[in-house]
Amino acid sequence: MVIIMKPTASEQEITFVINYIKRNYDLRIDTITGEFQTIIGLIGEENQVDFELLELLPGVERAHRIQTPYKLVSRSYHSADHIIDVKGVRIGGSSRPIFIAGPCSIESKEQLLQIAAQIKSAGADILRGGAFKPRSSVHSFQGLGEKGLELLARAGEEHGMPTITEVRGETQVEMVAKYADILQIGARNMYNQDLIESVARQHKPILLKRHFGAGFDELLNFSERAIAEGNRDVILCERGLIPVGKGRQHTRYMLDLSIVPLTKIESYLPVIVDPSHATGRRDLVLSMSLAAIAAGAHGIMVEVHHQPEKALSDGPQMIRPSELQHLISTSLNIYQHITKET
Amino acid sequence: MVIIMKPTASEQEITFVINYIKRNYDLRIDTITGEFQTIIGLIGEENQVDFELLELLPGVERAHRIQTPYKLVSRSYHSADHIIDVKGVRIGGSSRPIFIAGPCSIESKEQLLQIAAQIKSAGADILRGGAFKPRSSVHSFQGLGEKGLELLARAGEEHGMPTITEVRGETQVEMVAKYADILQIGARNMYNQDLIESVARQHKPILLKRHFGAGFDELLNFSERAIAEGNRDVILCERGLIPVGKGRQHTRYMLDLSIVPLTKIESYLPVIVDPSHATGRRDLVLSMSLAAIAAGAHGIMVEVHHQPEKALSDGPQMIRPSELQHLISTSLNIYQHITKET
Amino acid sequence: MVIIMKPTASEQEITFVINYIKRNYDLRIDTITGEFQTIIGLIGEENQVDFELLELLPGVERAHRIQTPYKLVSRSYHSADHIIDVKGVRIGGSSRPIFIAGPCSIESKEQLLQIAAQIKSAGADILRGGAFKPRSSVHSFQGLGEKGLELLARAGEEHGMPTITEVRGETQVEMVAKYADILQIGARNMYNQDLIESVARQHKPILLKRHFGAGFDELLNFSERAIAEGNRDVILCERGLIPVGKGRQHTRYMLDLSIVPLTKIESYLPVIVDPSHATGRRDLVLSMSLAAIAAGAHGIMVEVHHQPEKALSDGPQMIRPSELQHLISTSLNIYQHITKET
Amino acid sequence: MVIIMKPTASEQEITFVINYIKRNYDLRIDTITGEFQTIIGLIGEENQVDFELLELLPGVERAHRIQTPYKLVSRSYHSADHIIDVKGVRIGGSSRPIFIAGPCSIESKEQLLQIAAQIKSAGADILRGGAFKPRSSVHSFQGLGEKGLELLARAGEEHGMPTITEVRGETQVEMVAKYADILQIGARNMYNQDLIESVARQHKPILLKRHFGAGFDELLNFSERAIAEGNRDVILCERGLIPVGKGRQHTRYMLDLSIVPLTKIESYLPVIVDPSHATGRRDLVLSMSLAAIAAGAHGIMVEVHHQPEKALSDGPQMIRPSELQHLISTSLNIYQHITKET
């Protein structure tokens, strides 16, 4: 539910309304202070609320229910695009698409510094690398842990790129937040509300990956968990759904690009695409990246390795730095056409 | 299985090999006469064949098994792109993408002629329109039948566009082939081998839509049915799979664009995309069309109506002719970038 | 839409109403003559009909719209269970479950007669066997065709079992109807409305398999096609959906047993289960058959071969006649418990 | 990888082998002390291990690799059924199926005590109830938290039933373990390896629900996480996959009963079925429960409420205590038949 204050509402009136709600209902509050108006969002079970009464409070222009299951993340609540600034890299709205690149796993100092240097000169904006790997099998490489985080922070600093890495569980939240600029919640954790809320409280930008079985509403619902904690800096990321075509699968997942224009219609949050996990194949990454940009994505997150054949994980889907350069320049050309034309 | 003849093989040697196979095995034959070499493909159960013996026949360079389930449609059998020419419109290979447009159903002479005029001036290449509609419910509009076909042929002629329409069942094959330039086999019929073979024998180009639950191998396997009948003019068309994201669905189907680069890797056939049925939403058609072109599609098939709100079927997904014009011009700009860059 | 006539309505009144509709609307008619009342169902687009007027016609008790997409197949139209009698074998309602068994493909006279004898003594009710096989690849065994149909009819006669076989395409309908007692429409053809209608006009019982991507509504919608042709003897058959669990698949399809109680709630048609195609594994057939019976299925259709390891198709999923005997006796025990208890 | 010790191997030899591995490799160890033999399982990346060398160690009969991705949970590692005893209730192997029942959410003392009394007299073995609810929306009822746990423990004690409740996040593990007898990991958390490991270290039985998009291998892989922590008391639970049938969905999820016989083939762990979440419909719970038992399930977990229409969550899928009684008695009858016959 949303309370829209009059453009002429005073500080006192706004405070009065907020206090009134806190006193009378078991609800939390989110406030958007716009250029002209303040909007107050209510968080929790709305059935308890008497709408008509609220509209009688001083300074209130209108109170209305938002029909979608997600509310704080909806364009009906907050109409302007939300742009996230990470150390000068702007993500969202009509900013040019950004490119997040780096290896699947951080394997060693040499590996990471070399890749960081090469993706920087290929045009990447943000450095990625996994330190705590979510793995299906207890018998696989599980990542370097905190040592990996240190290497990531250092490589980002040396090459002037903000960094992103995954937080796999609640016990690692504070540690990862000490090192990385963007905290990633992986696809397997998209439904993990406790983790999302815990990460949101670090007040750093969050990248929330869509689970491979999640509907679009669910992606928005769980991003709402972060906003309800007071952190609106959420980047959504499509990385493919369970493939349904019968028989042999030619890709790891199925990239659902419709999510890109849908997000722009339904929400104000930025949305990017990860073609590496979606396809699982190096030879499809370029085509699917260009398709994502043509569909309007705010960015691409792609796995890059200087020696994919020697990688400890995800080798078959990582591209080389030279391929990244071509991907970025063609993407930016397409972006300029889309923008000019639309 | 494939028999590659020597570049120096004579007509007689080729005929000898073909006759030898026909005499000794229960197999059909497909022949590709290239610029330098002739290739002979075998159709049927290959287990009966003695490979080593075949390599001893006069003029034979090599005989080898193709490992994929599809064979005649594979790039290992026929490496050059296959370009289909429909009354001067070239589809496939490095030809510029083509645009097939028109209403879901042919409703009346006035409707069709008006739409035909408008899409022609918007830049469309081929006119589409349904006369025999495959419908889930016996209680819905089923199409105008042969009268619709006549209207389609006439509208195509008046505006200088080849035409395409769906053949829904075996009993309509000859009738539809009398009127239309391209015979469409709908998604629901992709597994209908008898229909595919019957349509193929009309020796007109075929557009084969991927079933919404079909794996990529299956799409190729069933296109192989047409080629085995001697008709290689098959255009593949992606139109979306069953959506798997949990909960409320925001699109009718889920567009699987990876099929576009995959087809170009695995086969020589052209592949186009239908964003209208895939999304079921007018407001997503432009984005998904541009994405398809950026992914390398050989064309777009899109439903267009001058008054979508009055359409007898599929109203919510049809775009207006003015939107088509914008879609085509932006697509062609993206195409030029992809081509220049790649 | 449904017109319920008064219990006192005369023959003339009923005829009057039917003729009135035929004269005034472009609709077909289905009539159910019950013990007490006659019900008239309308087939086609209902929007044209003036409900209130119809209720004024002589002998009409009530006219109402059926809300589900399927109408003629709905329990709101026809409340009593429909029992189908095939040469004395009763299928549906509270009849005991029936067992359809036989090989995937008819391979030879010896093979079929031997299997028929063995399944008969194991307790099977109906003999199955494929003559026209729907195959993904043009390079696989395609079935014996009409010769297979002759063998099937003969084996059924010798062992006193009605027979069932698949009609793969429209051109085979009449030929298959000459030989078999039940005409099967395979999963791949569930959406083939022309085939369903053509088969229905043979006035023999139909077994309609659910497509592996079809929702329950669609299964009912397409069975409605047969009923609209005047043939209510339709047996629905669940045989598994596209598996969605990520990664390696342990079964060919995923059996959706909820369809069994759902059918009994929503419709009056019998519903059976095919565990052989659903699982693709001999070692799962027994468990899934018992589960189907416990869920209330009206029968089981199972592939049986005396030498599965030598079968020309589907070897890994066929069970042996001795296993069939155990399956049938345990099923009947469970059936008696369900019935007694429910 | 598995090391099988000779039946004659001494304590010292076994200790020697274990120490040898710990000294030389970065691996953890799991030991099964059987009646005749000791088996040593290795946990971690196996590529480092020299097999042939291990076979030369004293007391070693054989060392071999397990081919499946899961190892410790595999029947090739541990062939006998694992039976879990929870305060006298035996789950698994050939024990009779057990019935876990109770409300979706614990709402109040009165509600829970009343339901507990009624399900106990209906024949239930274990009491369930949610205190920390995983919810899609931040705007829904989130559960009573620790107060709910206290009520659950007390109700279990009063009525002599062990209890089960969900642990939603890592920060609640210890608190929940203080109160409940079985710790449930919900479907949304199946991929949450940190949570599984943290729960496993409480040394209480775990119920691991299959994620609605998880393949069977993944379910086993994540149960392996618990076993690798030294806790083998894992009950697997099937509760439905994302429904794939096109169009309107008649059930919330699609129950995949093939998992029941599959688990018994591949593993030694008990497997139960939750028909309430799988169907989301009270009118399907009985049929699907009986089907699960007929397929061989070790138990049923079902939501029961004395006033489903007043429940704060999941009302439409909860059955009444009287329906539970019928479900249990019919299930036990079927179970006896299956056992006798198989």
Side-chain angles (χ1 to χ4, degrees):
Chain A
M1 196 177 122
V2 169
I3 300 168
I4 297 158
M5 301 301 291
K6 289 181 184 153
T8 58
S10 67
E11 280 290 321
Q12 286 93 324
E13 287 173 330
I14 295 171
T15 311
F16 179 86
V17 171
I18 291 176
N19 287 337
Y20 177 87
I21 293 164
K22 286 187 175 164
R23 238 183 3 257
N24 289 281
Y25 303 110
D26 182 23
L27 292 168
R28 280 180 295 156
I29 276 174
D30 177 82
T31 312
I32 298 176
T33 311
E35 209 173 334
F36 304 111
Q37 279 182 302
T38 291
I39 297 176
I40 299 167
L42 308 188
I43 304 164
E45 283 181 277
E46 304 181 344
N47 299 332
Q48 19 168 346
V49 181
D50 179 343
F51 270 67
E52 295 179 16
L53 198 89
L54 284 183
E55 294 203 334
L56 298 177
L57 296 183
V60 170
E61 186 175 296
R62 199 159 37 95
H64 73 270
R65 220 177 271 281
I66 294 179
Q67 294 304 328
T68 49
Y70 44 88
K71 297 174 202 309
L72 305 176
V73 73
S74 160
R75 272 224 194 264
S76 354
Y77 173 52
H78 182 48
S79 63
D81 285 338
H82 180 63
I83 294 177
I84 299 168
D85 188 306
V86 190
K87 290 186 168 171
V89 176
R90 290 167 59 82
I91 309 168
S94 54
S95 316
R96 72 151 176 78
I98 54 96
F99 298 88
I100 304 174
C104 174
S105 300
I106 300 165
E107 298 167 6
S108 70
K109 186 174 148 192
E110 296 63 41
Q111 173 237 29
L112 190 64
L113 286 177
Q114 188 155 2
I115 294 175
Q118 295 186 19
I119 66 165
K120 175 72 181 181
S121 73
D125 300 293
I126 295 172
L127 176 65
R128 62 149 286 153
F132 291 94
K133 300 303 299 170
R135 299 309 293 263
S136 294
S137 170
V138 72
H139 307 288
S140 315
F141 173 59
Q142 312 284 322
L144 292 185
E146 186 161 9
K147 197 189 139 203
L149 296 176
E150 285 170 15
L151 294 173
L152 182 68
R154 185 164 152 191
E157 229 164 274
E158 282 197 16
H159 294 285
M161 288 183 285
T163 59
I164 178 170
T165 197
E166 176 162 357
V167 186
R168 203 189 54 206
E170 284 181 70
T171 55
Q172 309 151 6
V173 175
E174 287 183 31
M175 189 209 291
V176 178
K178 269 203 328 215
Y179 294 101
D181 299 307
I182 305 177
L183 305 180
Q184 174 179 326
I185 292 170
R188 289 176 175 176
N189 271 319
M190 193 207 83
Y191 291 110
N192 191 340
Q193 63 188 72
D194 299 277
L195 180 62
I196 295 174
E197 290 170 2
S198 169
V199 165
R201 287 192 290 268
Q202 301 300 314
H203 300 297
K204 290 200 157 186
I206 301 165
L207 185 135
L208 181 63
K209 286 194 151 187
R210 182 189 189 187
H211 186 274
F212 45 82
F216 177 57
D217 279 7
E218 291 188 324
L219 176 62
L220 293 188
N221 277 340
F222 282 89
S223 71
E224 181 122 334
R225 292 271 174 190
I227 301 175
E229 292 295 321
N231 189 340
R232 200 178 301 282
D233 288 345
V234 181
I235 304 158
L236 304 177
C237 179
E238 161 67 17
R239 44 77 78 209
L241 297 182
I242 298 169
V244 288
K246 214 171 72 69
R248 184 160 65 106
Q249 298 304 334
H250 290 254
T251 53
R252 267 176 87 176
Y253 295 92
M254 182 166 24
L255 194 60
D256 178 17
L257 285 179
S258 71
I259 228 67
V260 172
L262 273 172
T263 299
K264 292 170 137 185
I265 292 169
E266 296 286 323
S267 177
Y268 50 80
L269 292 180
V271 56
I272 72 165
V273 170
D274 170 353
S276 305
H277 288 90
T279 62
R281 291 176 56 154
R282 186 177 308 134
D283 58 353
L284 299 180
V285 166
L286 175 64
S287 300
M288 299 320 283
S289 296
L290 301 183
I293 294 296
H298 291 110
I300 297 291
M301 172 139 115
V302 63
E303 291 191 345
V304 180
H305 201 286
H306 61 310
Q307 294 170 313
E309 64 289 352
K310 293 194 181 160
L312 292 184
S313 57
D314 278 357
Q317 75 193 31
M318 289 196 269
I319 61 171
R320 290 186 174 73
S322 58
E323 296 169 295
L324 178 65
Q325 183 152 28
H326 175 58
L327 185 159
I328 293 177
S329 65
T330 315
S331 291
L332 291 177
N333 279 330
I334 289 178
Y335 164 71
Q336 265 149 15
H337 261 303
I338 307 298
T339 317
K340 204 169 57 194
E341 299 277 344
T342 330
Chain B
M1 195 177 122
V2 169
I3 301 169
I4 297 158
M5 302 299 292
K6 290 180 184 154
T8 56
S10 66
E11 278 292 320
Q12 286 93 323
E13 285 173 330
I14 294 170
T15 311
F16 179 85
V17 170
I18 291 174
N19 288 338
Y20 177 86
I21 292 163
K22 287 190 175 162
R23 234 181 8 253
N24 289 282
Y25 303 111
D26 182 22
L27 292 168
R28 282 178 295 156
I29 275 173
D30 177 82
T31 312
I32 297 175
T33 311
E35 208 172 335
F36 304 110
Q37 278 181 306
T38 290
I39 298 177
I40 298 168
L42 308 189
I43 303 165
E45 286 181 274
E46 304 182 345
N47 300 332
Q48 17 168 345
V49 181
D50 179 343
F51 270 65
E52 294 179 16
L53 197 90
L54 284 183
E55 294 203 336
L56 299 177
L57 296 183
V60 171
E61 185 175 296
R62 200 157 40 93
H64 73 269
R65 217 178 272 281
I66 295 180
Q67 293 304 328
T68 51
Y70 42 89
K71 299 177 198 312
L72 305 177
V73 72
S74 160
R75 272 228 193 264
S76 356
Y77 174 51
H78 182 48
S79 64
D81 286 336
H82 181 62
I83 295 176
I84 300 167
D85 189 307
V86 190
K87 290 186 169 170
V89 176
R90 290 166 59 84
I91 308 168
S94 53
S95 317
R96 72 150 174 80
I98 56 98
F99 299 88
I100 304 174
C104 173
S105 298
I106 300 165
E107 298 168 5
S108 71
K109 186 176 148 192
E110 294 66 37
Q111 175 238 26
L112 190 63
L113 286 177
Q114 190 153 1
I115 294 174
Q118 294 186 20
I119 64 165
K120 176 71 182 182
S121 73
D125 301 293
I126 295 171
L127 177 65
R128 60 148 287 151
F132 292 94
K133 300 301 300 171
R135 298 309 293 262
S136 293
S137 171
V138 73
H139 306 286
S140 315
F141 174 62
Q142 313 285 320
L144 291 186
E146 185 160 12
K147 196 187 138 205
L149 296 177
E150 286 170 17
L151 293 173
L152 181 68
R154 186 165 149 192
E157 228 165 274
E158 282 198 16
H159 295 284
M161 287 182 286
T163 59
I164 176 170
T165 198
E166 176 162 355
V167 186
R168 202 188 54 207
E170 282 181 72
T171 55
Q172 309 151 5
V173 175
E174 286 183 31
M175 189 207 294
V176 177
K178 269 202 329 215
Y179 294 101
D181 299 307
I182 306 177
L183 306 179
Q184 175 179 326
I185 292 170
R188 288 175 175 177
N189 271 320
M190 192 206 86
Y191 291 110
N192 191 339
Q193 65 190 70
D194 299 275
L195 180 63
I196 294 173
E197 290 171 1
S198 169
V199 165
R201 288 190 290 267
Q202 301 300 314
H203 299 298
K204 289 202 156 185
I206 301 166
L207 185 135
L208 180 64
K209 285 194 152 188
R210 182 188 186 186
H211 187 274
F212 45 81
F216 177 58
D217 278 7
E218 290 187 326
L219 175 62
L220 293 188
N221 276 341
F222 281 88
S223 71
E224 180 123 334
R225 292 270 175 190
I227 300 174
E229 291 296 322
N231 188 340
R232 198 178 303 281
D233 288 345
V234 181
I235 304 159
L236 304 177
C237 180
E238 161 66 18
R239 45 76 77 211
L241 297 184
I242 297 170
V244 287
K246 211 171 73 68
R248 184 160 64 104
Q249 298 302 336
H250 290 255
T251 54
R252 269 176 86 174
Y253 295 92
M254 183 165 26
L255 194 60
D256 177 17
L257 286 180
S258 72
I259 228 67
V260 172
L262 273 172
T263 300
K264 292 170 137 185
I265 293 169
E266 296 287 324
S267 176
Y268 50 80
L269 292 180
V271 56
I272 73 166
V273 170
D274 170 353
S276 305
H277 287 91
T279 64
R281 291 175 57 153
R282 185 179 309 133
D283 59 352
L284 298 180
V285 165
L286 175 63
S287 300
M288 299 319 284
S289 296
L290 301 184
I293 295 294
H298 292 108
I300 298 290
M301 172 139 115
V302 62
E303 291 192 345
V304 181
H305 201 286
H306 61 312
Q307 296 170 311
E309 64 289 353
K310 295 195 181 157
L312 292 184
S313 57
D314 277 356
Q317 75 193 34
M318 289 196 271
I319 61 171
R320 291 186 171 75
S322 59
E323 296 170 296
L324 178 65
Q325 183 153 29
H326 176 58
L327 185 159
I328 292 177
S329 66
T330 315
S331 291
L332 291 177
N333 278 330
I334 289 178
Y335 164 70
Q336 265 150 13
H337 261 303
I338 308 299
T339 318
K340 203 168 57 194
E341 299 279 342
T342 330
Chain C
M1 197 175 118
V2 169
I3 300 170
I4 298 158
M5 301 300 291
K6 291 181 184 153
T8 58
S10 68
E11 279 291 321
Q12 287 93 322
E13 287 173 329
I14 294 171
T15 312
F16 179 86
V17 170
I18 291 175
N19 288 337
Y20 177 87
I21 292 163
K22 286 190 175 160
R23 237 181 8 254
N24 289 281
Y25 303 111
D26 183 22
L27 293 168
R28 280 177 296 157
I29 275 172
D30 177 81
T31 310
I32 298 176
T33 309
E35 207 173 333
F36 304 110
Q37 281 182 301
T38 291
I39 298 177
I40 299 168
L42 308 188
I43 304 164
E45 284 181 274
E46 305 182 345
N47 300 332
Q48 17 168 347
V49 180
D50 179 342
F51 270 66
E52 295 178 16
L53 198 89
L54 284 183
E55 295 203 333
L56 299 177
L57 295 183
V60 171
E61 184 176 297
R62 199 156 40 92
H64 72 269
R65 216 178 272 282
I66 294 179
Q67 293 304 327
T68 50
Y70 44 89
K71 298 176 199 312
L72 305 177
V73 73
S74 161
R75 271 227 195 261
S76 356
Y77 174 52
H78 183 47
S79 63
D81 285 338
H82 181 63
I83 295 176
I84 300 168
D85 188 307
V86 190
K87 291 186 168 170
V89 177
R90 291 167 59 82
I91 309 168
S94 53
S95 317
R96 74 150 175 79
I98 55 97
F99 299 87
I100 305 174
C104 173
S105 300
I106 300 164
E107 299 168 5
S108 70
K109 185 175 150 195
E110 295 65 36
Q111 174 237 27
L112 191 63
L113 285 178
Q114 188 153 2
I115 294 174
Q118 295 186 18
I119 66 166
K120 176 71 181 181
S121 73
D125 302 292
I126 296 172
L127 176 65
R128 61 150 287 152
F132 292 94
K133 300 302 300 170
R135 298 309 294 262
S136 293
S137 170
V138 71
H139 307 286
S140 316
F141 173 60
Q142 313 285 318
L144 291 186
E146 187 161 9
K147 196 187 139 208
L149 296 176
E150 286 170 15
L151 293 173
L152 181 68
R154 184 163 153 193
E157 228 164 275
E158 284 198 14
H159 295 283
M161 289 181 283
T163 59
I164 177 170
T165 198
E166 177 163 355
V167 187
R168 203 187 54 208
E170 283 181 72
T171 55
Q172 308 151 7
V173 176
E174 287 181 33
M175 187 208 294
V176 177
K178 269 202 327 213
Y179 294 100
D181 299 306
I182 306 177
L183 306 180
Q184 173 179 327
I185 293 170
R188 289 175 175 176
N189 270 321
M190 193 207 84
Y191 291 111
N192 191 341
Q193 64 189 72
D194 299 276
L195 180 63
I196 294 173
E197 290 171 2
S198 169
V199 165
R201 287 191 291 268
Q202 301 301 313
H203 299 298
K204 289 201 158 186
I206 301 165
L207 184 135
L208 180 63
K209 286 194 152 188
R210 181 189 188 187
H211 187 274
F212 44 81
F216 177 57
D217 279 7
E218 290 187 326
L219 175 62
L220 293 189
N221 276 340
F222 281 89
S223 71
E224 181 123 334
R225 293 271 175 190
I227 300 174
E229 293 295 322
N231 188 341
R232 200 177 302 282
D233 289 346
V234 181
I235 305 158
L236 303 179
C237 180
E238 161 67 16
R239 42 77 77 211
L241 297 183
I242 298 170
V244 288
K246 213 171 73 68
R248 184 158 65 104
Q249 298 304 334
H250 290 254
T251 54
R252 266 176 87 175
Y253 295 93
M254 181 165 27
L255 193 60
D256 177 18
L257 285 179
S258 72
I259 229 66
V260 172
L262 273 171
T263 300
K264 292 170 136 184
I265 293 169
E266 297 285 324
S267 177
Y268 49 81
L269 293 179
V271 56
I272 72 166
V273 170
D274 170 353
S276 305
H277 287 91
T279 63
R281 289 174 60 153
R282 185 178 310 133
D283 59 353
L284 299 181
V285 164
L286 174 64
S287 300
M288 299 320 284
S289 297
L290 302 183
I293 294 297
H298 292 109
I300 298 291
M301 171 140 116
V302 62
E303 291 191 346
V304 181
H305 200 286
H306 60 312
Q307 295 170 312
E309 64 288 352
K310 293 194 182 159
L312 292 183
S313 55
D314 279 355
Q317 75 192 32
M318 289 196 271
I319 61 172
R320 290 185 172 74
S322 59
E323 296 170 295
L324 178 65
Q325 184 152 27
H326 176 58
L327 185 160
I328 292 176
S329 66
T330 315
S331 292
L332 291 176
N333 279 330
I334 289 179
Y335 164 71
Q336 266 149 12
H337 261 303
I338 307 298
T339 317
K340 203 170 55 195
E341 299 278 342
T342 330
Chain D
M1 196 175 122
V2 168
I3 301 169
I4 298 159
M5 302 300 291
K6 290 180 184 155
T8 58
S10 67
E11 278 291 320
Q12 285 94 324
E13 285 173 331
I14 294 171
T15 312
F16 179 85
V17 170
I18 291 176
N19 287 337
Y20 178 86
I21 293 164
K22 287 188 175 163
R23 240 186 359 258
N24 288 282
Y25 304 110
D26 182 21
L27 292 168
R28 279 180 294 157
I29 276 173
D30 177 82
T31 312
I32 297 175
T33 311
E35 209 172 333
F36 304 110
Q37 278 182 305
T38 291
I39 298 178
I40 299 169
L42 308 189
I43 304 165
E45 284 181 276
E46 305 182 344
N47 300 333
Q48 18 168 345
V49 180
D50 179 342
F51 270 66
E52 295 179 15
L53 197 88
L54 284 183
E55 296 203 333
L56 299 177
L57 296 183
V60 171
E61 185 176 297
R62 199 157 39 96
H64 74 269
R65 218 178 272 280
I66 294 179
Q67 293 304 327
T68 51
Y70 42 90
K71 296 174 200 312
L72 305 177
V73 72
S74 161
R75 270 225 196 263
S76 355
Y77 173 52
H78 182 46
S79 63
D81 286 335
H82 181 63
I83 295 177
I84 299 169
D85 188 308
V86 190
K87 290 183 168 173
V89 177
R90 290 168 58 84
I91 310 168
S94 54
S95 317
R96 73 151 174 79
I98 55 97
F99 298 88
I100 305 174
C104 173
S105 299
I106 299 164
E107 298 167 7
S108 69
K109 186 176 147 193
E110 295 64 38
Q111 175 237 27
L112 190 63
L113 285 178
Q114 191 154 0
I115 294 175
Q118 296 186 17
I119 65 166
K120 176 71 183 182
S121 72
D125 301 293
I126 295 172
L127 176 65
R128 59 149 288 150
F132 292 94
K133 301 301 302 171
R135 299 308 295 262
S136 293
S137 171
V138 73
H139 307 287
S140 316
F141 174 61
Q142 313 285 317
L144 291 186
E146 186 162 10
K147 197 189 138 203
L149 296 176
E150 286 169 16
L151 294 173
L152 182 68
R154 187 166 147 190
E157 230 163 272
E158 282 197 17
H159 295 285
M161 287 182 283
T163 59
I164 177 170
T165 196
E166 176 162 357
V167 186
R168 203 188 55 207
E170 284 180 71
T171 56
Q172 308 151 7
V173 176
E174 286 182 32
M175 188 208 292
V176 178
K178 269 201 331 214
Y179 295 99
D181 299 308
I182 305 176
L183 306 180
Q184 174 179 327
I185 292 169
R188 289 175 174 176
N189 270 321
M190 192 207 85
Y191 292 111
N192 191 340
Q193 63 188 74
D194 299 276
L195 180 62
I196 295 173
E197 289 171 1
S198 169
V199 165
R201 286 191 290 267
Q202 301 300 313
H203 298 298
K204 288 201 157 186
I206 301 165
L207 185 136
L208 180 64
K209 285 194 150 187
R210 183 189 187 187
H211 187 275
F212 45 82
F216 177 58
D217 279 6
E218 290 187 325
L219 176 61
L220 293 189
N221 276 339
F222 281 89
S223 71
E224 180 123 335
R225 292 271 175 189
I227 301 173
E229 293 295 321
N231 189 340
R232 197 177 303 281
D233 288 345
V234 182
I235 304 158
L236 303 177
C237 180
E238 162 66 17
R239 42 79 74 211
L241 297 183
I242 298 170
V244 289
K246 213 170 74 66
R248 182 157 68 103
Q249 297 303 335
H250 290 254
T251 53
R252 267 175 87 176
Y253 294 93
M254 182 166 26
L255 194 59
D256 178 18
L257 286 180
S258 71
I259 228 68
V260 172
L262 273 172
T263 299
K264 291 170 137 185
I265 293 169
E266 296 286 323
S267 176
Y268 50 79
L269 293 180
V271 57
I272 71 165
V273 170
D274 170 353
S276 306
H277 286 92
T279 63
R281 291 176 58 152
R282 184 177 313 134
D283 60 351
L284 300 180
V285 164
L286 175 63
S287 301
M288 300 320 284
S289 296
L290 302 183
I293 295 297
H298 292 109
I300 298 291
M301 171 139 114
V302 63
E303 291 191 344
V304 180
H305 200 285
H306 61 312
Q307 295 170 311
E309 63 289 353
K310 294 195 181 159
L312 292 183
S313 57
D314 278 357
Q317 76 193 32
M318 289 196 270
I319 61 171
R320 290 185 173 73
S322 59
E323 297 169 295
L324 178 65
Q325 184 152 29
H326 176 58
L327 185 158
I328 292 176
S329 66
T330 316
S331 291
L332 291 177
N333 279 330
I334 289 179
Y335 164 71
Q336 265 149 14
H337 261 304
I338 307 299
T339 317
K340 204 170 54 194
E341 299 277 344
T342 331

